Amino acid sequence: MSEIFTGSFTQQEPIPEEAISAAMEVLRHGRLHRYNVAGDEAGETALLEREFADQMGAKYCLAVASGGYALATALRAVGVKHGDRVLTNAFTLAPVPGSIAAVGATPVYVDVSEDLTIDLEDLAAKADQAGVLMLSHMRGHLCDMDRLMEICNDAGITVIEDCAHTMGAAWNGTLSGRHGTVGCYSCQTYKHVNSGEGGLLITDNEEVAARAIILSGSYMLYGRHLAAPGSEVFERVKYETPNISGRMDNLRAAILRPQLRDLEVQVARWNERYREVETGVRGTPGLTVVVRPAAETYVGSSIQFLLLDWAADRVQEVLRRCAARGVELKWFGEPQPVAFTSRYDSWRYAETPSLPKSDRILAGIVDMRVPLTFSLEDCAQIARIIRAEVGAVFQGA
Ligand SMILES: Cc1ncc(COP(=O)(O)O)c(C=O)c1O
């Protein structure tokens, strides 16, 4: 009898007790709005911003309503306007081109390479087409960030990093989010810290920080921020920056602060699980494991492997057989967007270029969540199931 996995791919861990107590305190005093503070109280949101800025080694931080909101705010804050073009990854998810569309700009898609990062040759070739790169570290894969920054600096491109999948990751020891002008993070349930919804934005650029804060809906209360530039910077931008409300509230901030203190421990736990799956599927005939470069410190909260150049119906057969044994896989070759999974050519609001290199790779990408509620034995079992089913389909069983 074949073994069947019975766990849930969407079940996260409970919110830690310390975070629950902090949330209860906010609920008891009732001051949920970030600017509703008593006496000399800083407020949970301002404290979260100060702590996250320090944790990331950034000067400024802004907490907002979602990761997608952080991306659109970053674009506006660096000066992207209606009608501009913005470079971005062909391999990413809906909120990334969505944030570009939100500011009335147009995405210019850059190819994905076989290691699932942005193709640096294609980026160099398209570098004269836009002044901003919205770089998605999709599914936690970091490209050679030294080379990417060299290309962008030479071309005068401002880099915004979408770190929705790389909170706590690093390239050559520099944290993801600290290479470009702005780093954006998501605190949504399926990411690395969980407040249901939420986003964080970091930068060292004082004007970008001041604009982002006003954009997020600070009214003239920006003086209550702890990880913000001085009032003279706000004076320069306050009358020309629109208020597009998307603030974080003190309840979510209270839930996030203890989780962020635990980030390193959680990253290590994700990586143990990732390696268990990776080891289990390595060497399966027909399956390519994605190489993780030595310079990359990653957060293995999901895993991808490639069924490169397989016919679509064979990949679908693998997915069907794995699903029948309780293993939920996603596929970036689906012709239509399914649940959270989509492709660059899913979106009709933007021009869809012909990207045959990306199409070949996307058609081979199989993707799986690795929640922390999985034990190492769960991960080993899942890997055995994938290995058996990929092997069976590959050998034509
Ligand atoms: C690659 C990527 N970027 C950004 C986001 C935006 O995050 P949020 O859901 O918090 O808006 C997501 C969310 O799924 C994502 O997958």
Side-chain angles (χ1 to χ4, degrees), residues 13-151:
E13 292 192 302
I15 299 300
E17 282 306 321
E18 195 190 347
I20 294 174
S21 304
M24 291 307 288
E25 202 169 310
V26 174
L27 289 173
R28 287 201 179 94
H29 65 54
R31 293 185 294 279
L32 272 73
H33 192 286
R34 67 166 298 159
Y35 299 122
N36 183 202
V37 286
D40 58 2
E41 180 186 46
E44 290 286 340
T45 311
L47 289 169
L48 165 70
E49 290 165 343
R50 184 64 268 156
E51 289 165 6
F52 191 64
D54 291 345
Q55 192 170 353
M56 295 291 123
K59 283 191 186 156
Y60 312 117
C61 173
L62 172 69
V64 293
S66 72
Y69 183 89
L71 297 179
T73 301
L75 286 165
R76 287 195 177 94
V78 303
V80 174
K81 302 214 163 39
H82 195 273
D84 286 355
R85 290 155 72 84
V86 175
L87 292 156
T88 195
N89 309 58
F91 174 45
T92 188
L93 289 174
V96 177
S99 71
I100 297 170
V103 303
T106 307
V108 176
Y109 297 108
V110 181
D111 269 324
V112 59
S113 66
E114 277 184 36
D115 50 15
L116 305 193
T117 57
I118 195 163
D119 183 309
L120 294 176
E121 272 178 40
D122 195 39
L123 176 65
K126 291 174 176 161
D128 60 350
Q129 294 187 28
V132 173
L133 166 65
M134 169 61 77
L135 173 66
S136 184
H137 300 303
M138 178 61 178
R139 287 293 184 252
H141 297 275
L142 291 173
C143 70
D144 178 343
M145 286 303 295
D146 302 324
R147 177 72 192 121
L148 178 131
M149 289 311 299
E150 205 173 79
I151 295 168

Side-chain angles (χ1 to χ4, degrees), residues 146-195:
D146 302 324
R147 177 72 192 121
L148 178 131
M149 289 311 299
E150 205 173 79
I151 295 168
C152 291
N153 289 337
D154 287 351
I157 293 171
T158 300
V159 178
I160 296 170
E161 293 180 68
D162 164 28
C163 306
H165 303 172
T166 54
M167 185 185 272
W171 180 265
N172 261 335
T174 299
L175 285 167
S176 120
R178 300 296 294 133
H179 298 265
T181 302
V182 188
C184 299
Y185 305 80
S186 168
C187 311
Q188 178 241 74
T189 293
Y190 298 110
K191 303 300 192 305
H192 302 131
V193 285
N194 175 10
S195 56

